[in-house]
Amino acid sequence: MSGIQTMGQKNLMFFSGRAYPELAQEIARNLGVEITPTALRDFANGEIYVRYLESVRGCDAFVIQSHTAPINKWIMEQLIMVDALKRASAKRVTVIMPFFGYARQDKKGRGREPITARFMADMFKQAGADRLMSIDLHTSQIQGFFDGPVDHLFAMPILIDYLRDKLDPSTTTIVSPDTGRVRLAERWSDMLNTPVAFIHKRRDLDVANQVKVNEVVGKVRGRTCVLIDDMIDTGGSICKAADALYDHGATNVVVAATHAVFSEPAVDRLKNSRISEVVVTNTLPIPEEKRFDKLTVLSIAPLIARAITEVFTDGSVTSLFEGDS
């Protein structure tokens, strides 16, 4: 017999960048592991240095980074962390990005524009990522941008579990803020047994974060409306959508979104809006100065921890959402 055989055990190692250590620590507690000690620092000119303080040879590495502001710095740090792992002989690298940076730039709307979401996937593949894991991608097509497995997780069960006891299905309507979210709204309605409505809007292609609400389609008069979306950035779109629903006779508007980007002036807009509650997850850090009375933040950490466990044990990530698979 030639060669050498070993009876090695799989070794899960969990790594975190500096963008959002609180979420990483919560996930680590759910997994029952420690975050691998890592030296992360900036040089005087802004370059990032990474070195792992333990051997990573042959490990199954999971690297989390939240793509929050300053987004380009934290994306670059995660790329460097992946490169360092591959050069240190990690066996498999799974990149966890709860919020996929640049996801909105997923197609060419006009000539001479980039498809930056595809470029993001290419960069992580080139750095050495074997697998991506993200939550509520802006569009499902982004899964096809990466040449490898993509675990697309959904926050919908977490949001629905929170809202279920607060809503009366007979007087509730799930509302998509645009035509692109209608399929998601239908999934919400299937789980809550409620009707669906959507808002027809037009976006100004020359001005970022500017939309014009044209019409509300569906049954909203005299009902509680749950506006669902993947992210809240400046809050302009969601607040205009809520105003349109009230103008069409809605008695109450609740917003449920996964990613609380909360760029200025989102907090002021939401606080001063007629929205009764804003429910989000903690895929992105929300500092105290961006929290307000109407805001409810739900933890995504148990979901990510379960997904990591399924990937590590070669189980089924799909089973988290569709039962046994």
Side-chain angles (χ1 to χ4, degrees), residues 130-252:
D130 298 293
R131 189 182 196 105
L132 297 186
M133 184 181 295
S134 192
I135 301 170
D136 284 341
L137 293 168
H138 189 61
T139 55
S140 294
Q141 71 193 43
I142 293 173
Q143 296 175 83
F145 293 171
F146 182 74
D147 187 15
V150 176
D151 297 307
H152 186 195
L153 310 181
F154 302 100
M156 180 180 67
I158 296 171
L159 296 167
I160 286 179
D161 283 347
Y162 171 78
L163 290 171
R164 193 187 303 273
D165 294 335
K166 293 173 171 283
L167 302 173
D168 178 0
S170 65
T171 59
T172 299
T173 297
I174 304 300
V175 182
S176 169
D178 53 46
T179 54
R181 292 276 171 268
V182 171
R183 182 68 191 100
L184 178 61
E186 290 173 344
R187 293 175 61 192
W188 273 71
S189 72
D190 289 343
M191 294 188 70
L192 292 171
N193 194 27
T194 62
V196 173
F198 74 91
I199 295 173
H200 178 247
K201 69 181 183 182
R202 294 182 65 86
R203 187 173 295 277
D204 189 337
L205 296 178
D206 295 316
V207 183
N209 304 111
Q210 292 292 320
V211 299
K212 180 180 179 181
V213 173
N214 288 343
E215 189 57 71
V216 175
V217 180
K219 185 179 179 182
V220 300
R221 184 170 298 278
R223 302 178 70 83
T224 294
C225 293
V226 181
L227 256 175
I228 61 168
D229 212 344
D230 65 319
M231 72 176 80
I232 302 175
D233 190 355
T234 63
S237 296
I238 211 75
C239 289
K240 287 182 179 178
D243 287 340
L245 292 171
Y246 277 115
D247 292 343
H248 283 74
T251 57
N252 185 32

Side-chain angles (χ1 to χ4, degrees), residues 47-64:
E47 293 178 5
I48 297 169
Y49 173 81
V50 173
R51 181 175 183 269
Y52 300 110
L53 304 182
E54 295 180 2
S55 173
V56 300
R57 184 178 299 275
C59 79
D60 205 341
F62 293 82
V63 188
I64 189 168

Side-chain angles (χ1 to χ4, degrees), residues 26-98:
E26 189 179 351
I27 293 169
R29 286 194 297 271
N30 277 271
L31 282 171
V33 301
E34 297 289 333
I35 298 173
T36 303
T38 307
L40 291 160
R41 63 176 183 266
D42 298 335
F43 289 108
N45 68 345
E47 293 178 5
I48 297 169
Y49 173 81
V50 173
R51 181 175 183 269
Y52 300 110
L53 304 182
E54 295 180 2
S55 173
V56 300
R57 184 178 299 275
C59 79
D60 205 341
F62 293 82
V63 188
I64 189 168
Q65 181 80 297
S66 289
H67 296 174
T68 186
I71 187 169
N72 297 323
K73 175 179 179 177
W74 300 133
I75 289 172
M76 190 65 191
E77 181 174 272
Q78 194 174 26
L79 286 164
I80 295 170
M81 292 177 73
V82 172
D83 181 74
L85 282 166
K86 295 303 285 190
R87 294 179 188 278
S89 301
K91 183 176 182 180
R92 179 171 66 168
V93 178
T94 299
V95 169
I96 306 170
M97 45 181 86

